Amino acid sequence: MGVHEVKKRIRVLIVDDSSVVREAMRHAVESDPELEVAGIAENGREALEKTLALEPDVIAMDFHMPDMNGIKATRRIMEEKPTPIVIVSGLLDPKEASANFMALDAGALALIEKPRFLGQEQQQALARIVETLKAMSEVAVVRRRRKPEGERPETPPRVEQSIRPPKRGPFSMVCMGASTGGPQALSSILSRLPGNFFLPILVVQHIAPGFLPGLVQWLDSHTQLEVGIAEHGKRPLAGHVYFAPDNRHMGVGPGNVIKLSDSPPLGSLRPSASHLFQSAADVLGDKVVGILLTGMGHDGAAELAVMNRCGALTVGQSEESCIVFGMPKAARDAGALDLLLPPEEIASMLITIHNSSEKQ
């Protein structure tokens, strides 16, 4: 009888101050044949201690906890024992929602909604957590330098290299799609663009319902551009970034106005990058830049290929810079891309296009 290699299970550290949540997550993890519980912690300080002692493969980290919250615990872990961290948060109050995304500044990889314990909705939330933990466990993370308490994130350096796009335009809009890891990639790109950037930017970001206002606030604090949630029928303005609202498709309508839609989900997604990119191809043709960023799945890949065939400039995020090289890989495999670039070089390319427009 041959010896069969047994695949090593992914070891998960569960961190939450609620015994009900801890038990639900423990059961969800133990029910998956690819996962096992490495340990359980009730607060951030205990999470740091158990990370150092147990060396888990991935951490499910609560946001609000006594003694040390999720942001501080994430920061300390990334300084002392870098480990993939998924923030599991129930913080949806619009006044505090942007605080969730401060955990990404601290080094967390993803943010996901905490289960609400309402039957099928609870099971769906737990399933999303399990799948996210699996995906994030494979991401290589690096040690963060220790920062003084309260220090703001550093202003990203300008990229010295000028990235010249293979297509010269003229362009009238930028359309982006993103999923897992998208907030970090978007922050890297948008924070480098000048406040007088000459094009409007439309973005579809896959995110749990309720988190979008916090993402918008967080990104608005990282960029000179104006960041907001799209409204139906509005003509997008230069130097503004428009996010598709929760559970509504966003596209480009006649006259280049924003068109929101309640049409059925595409591949279980609403909003979807596929809807945005197809509308951009139909209305804008070769006068648009399409960008597909990090994320699981293949949303937007086929429609980015349509944009490319229409003469649009199409760009995917490079594999080494992605948290999950899913959507850009699907676009690459579909022959949809003119360029594969890391976020800072995508920003440089957009700045090159901006500078060229000023000379015309």
Side-chain angles (χ1 to χ4, degrees), residues 213-225:
L215 173 61
V216 166
Q217 292 174 28
W218 179 69
L219 285 173
D220 195 56
S221 71
H222 283 60
T223 179
Q224 300 176 60
L225 306 175

Side-chain angles (χ1 to χ4, degrees), residues 75-199:
R75 184 177 295 115
R76 289 288 303 277
I77 289 169
M78 297 309 294
E79 291 166 354
E80 299 186 29
K81 182 66 177 176
T83 306
I85 296 174
V86 175
I87 299 294
V88 183
S89 175
L91 184 61
L92 297 177
D93 185 331
K95 295 180 180 179
E96 300 179 303
S98 63
N100 285 307
F101 294 89
M102 294 170 62
L104 302 183
D105 285 330
L109 295 177
L111 173 67
I112 196 163
E113 183 182 17
K114 182 176 287 192
R116 297 185 184 181
F117 304 102
L118 297 172
Q120 185 178 2
E121 185 176 344
Q122 174 193 348
Q123 295 307 312
Q124 291 172 346
L126 289 168
R128 286 192 294 269
I129 291 170
V130 165
E131 290 307 308
T132 303
L133 290 171
K134 289 181 187 178
M136 297 304 99
S137 71
E138 299 178 1
V139 178
V141 292
V142 297
R143 189 179 302 274
R144 297 285 183 109
R145 74 171 182 86
R146 186 170 297 233
K147 296 181 181 180
E149 191 71 25
E151 180 180 320
R152 291 178 61 84
E154 298 175 358
T155 300
R158 297 287 180 186
V159 178
E160 296 298 328
Q161 180 184 4
S162 176
I163 305 298
R164 298 194 175 278
K167 296 172 182 174
R168 302 178 64 89
F171 301 109
S172 56
M173 193 175 295
V174 178
C175 294
M176 298 186 182
S179 187
T180 308
Q184 298 96 311
L186 288 165
S187 175
S188 180
I189 294 167
L190 300 179
S191 62
R192 290 177 163 88
L193 299 182
N196 66 339
F197 185 67
F198 81 114
L199 296 176

Side-chain angles (χ1 to χ4, degrees), residues 4 44 47 52 95 105 140 307:
H4 296 282
L52 296 174
K95 295 180 180 179
D105 285 330
M307 291 178 67

